[in-house]
Amino acid sequence: DADISIANHFIAYKNEFILFDTKTNHLNILSNIQAMRDLLMIGKSCSVYAWGKLYKKQLFSKNHVDFPVGKIHEDTFTTYKLFLLANRVVTIGRPLYYYVQRGSSIMGSGYTPNNMLIVDAADEMMQYIRDQQIPLQTESLSFRLTMTLYVMSRMSTSKVATIRDWQKLADWIMANKIQLLICNRYVSITQKAVICVVALGWRPYLTLRWLLRLLKIDKPLQAVVV
């Protein structure tokens, strides 16, 4: 009787298959708020991606929910609505899906200005949660930060990213820095360190990213996909 059912999955890289969630091997029944909190926390079984899930058709048809036409990251604009409309979300640890990683995919290719749409989707999600007075506003702010830092990390290795693109993201971080650094328990110590470096400017941020990659601990896609 689930409105949305979610299976565990493998991340497939050519001949290598990595199990996404190695800890969960049982069935979990979640309310819409519990499932949405998992989605916002990233890395949990409930992700923002449309794939790897089965949905009751009525979630779309009765509520007039559609994927936006002509936009990348279209599932980020949509999945959260389905989660909040669902009464019952069920996850299972059994891997039933293979997510193949290709270099030409949105996540595998380099930065383009269209990647900024994932930030717009996070803003829309935050506004929806605020307007509906859903008790997930702190979590949604943390999600927006993660998407912001994800896009910044792609910019750091791109030749097409502009200072204007970066400044738009940096301005948002600076406008919310008090909440992010002091008031939000979901912001990690590493994220707080990056926020402090962003305050110093683009060049210090690039230096930080270079050091993280040198130490092989810079994994911008891990927070979003793996």
Side-chain angles (χ1 to χ4, degrees), residues 37 40-41 44 135-143 145-146 179-180 182-189 191-192:
R37 182 175 286 110
L40 293 169
M41 290 298 93
K44 302 282 188 176
L136 294 171
Q137 295 185 33
T138 303
E139 291 90 336
S140 66
L141 185 66
S142 172
F143 180 86
L145 173 66
T146 301
Q179 286 180 287
L180 294 169
I182 300 173
C183 305
N184 196 316
R185 62 191 177 96
Y186 300 109
V187 177
S188 69
I189 293 174
Q191 288 178 322
K192 290 180 180 180

Side-chain angles (χ1 to χ4, degrees), residues 12-191:
Y13 301 91
K14 295 184 179 179
N15 297 322
E16 183 181 14
F17 304 102
I18 301 173
L19 184 62
F20 172 74
D21 186 349
T22 59
K23 297 179 180 179
T24 302
N25 57 9
H26 53 81
L27 182 143
N28 290 311
I29 300 172
L30 306 172
S31 69
N32 57 353
I33 297 298
Q34 290 172 323
M36 188 65 191
R37 182 175 286 110
D38 276 4
L39 182 153
L40 293 169
M41 290 298 93
I42 300 175
K44 302 282 188 176
S45 55
C46 299
S47 70
V48 74
Y49 299 105
W51 52 264
K53 304 174 177 67
L54 294 174
Y55 310 84
K56 280 191 175 177
K57 184 175 69 173
Q58 289 83 353
L59 287 177
F60 290 91
S61 59
K62 286 189 176 180
N63 299 289
H64 306 289
V65 175
D66 296 297
F67 291 100
V69 177
K71 289 184 178 181
I72 66 170
H73 303 299
E74 67 279 0
D75 39 10
T76 312
F77 283 93
T78 309
T79 308
Y80 76 91
K81 298 175 184 176
L82 301 172
F83 271 54
L84 291 172
L85 288 166
N87 292 315
R88 179 185 175 101
V89 178
V90 174
T91 68
I92 188 170
R94 183 181 172 190
L96 300 173
Y97 193 92
Y98 287 78
Y99 183 72
V100 180
Q101 292 284 284
R102 294 186 177 90
S104 60
S105 68
I106 292 172
M107 292 302 175
S109 57
Y111 168 81
T112 72
N114 280 336
N115 289 135
M116 297 288 277
L117 285 171
I118 203 169
V119 174
D120 294 340
D123 281 336
E124 183 184 287
M125 188 187 303
M126 285 180 61
Q127 188 63 48
Y128 185 93
I129 288 171
R130 190 180 302 118
D131 290 345
Q132 300 297 319
Q133 298 183 332
I134 298 166
L136 294 171
Q137 295 185 33
T138 303
E139 291 90 336
S140 66
L141 185 66
S142 172
F143 180 86
R144 208 305 191 166
L145 173 66
T146 301
M147 296 301 101
T148 302
L149 296 182
Y150 160 69
V151 176
M152 280 184 161
S153 71
R154 292 173 72 96
M155 286 181 176
S156 67
T157 57
S158 171
K159 295 181 180 180
V160 301
T162 67
I163 291 296
R164 180 178 294 180
D165 291 339
W166 184 85
Q167 195 63 52
K168 179 181 178 181
L169 301 176
D171 286 347
W172 180 87
I173 289 177
M174 291 301 98
N176 294 277
K177 62 181 182 295
I178 300 300
Q179 286 180 287
L180 294 169
L181 289 172
I182 300 173
C183 305
N184 196 316
R185 62 191 177 96
Y186 300 109
V187 177
S188 69
I189 293 174
T190 301
Q191 288 178 322

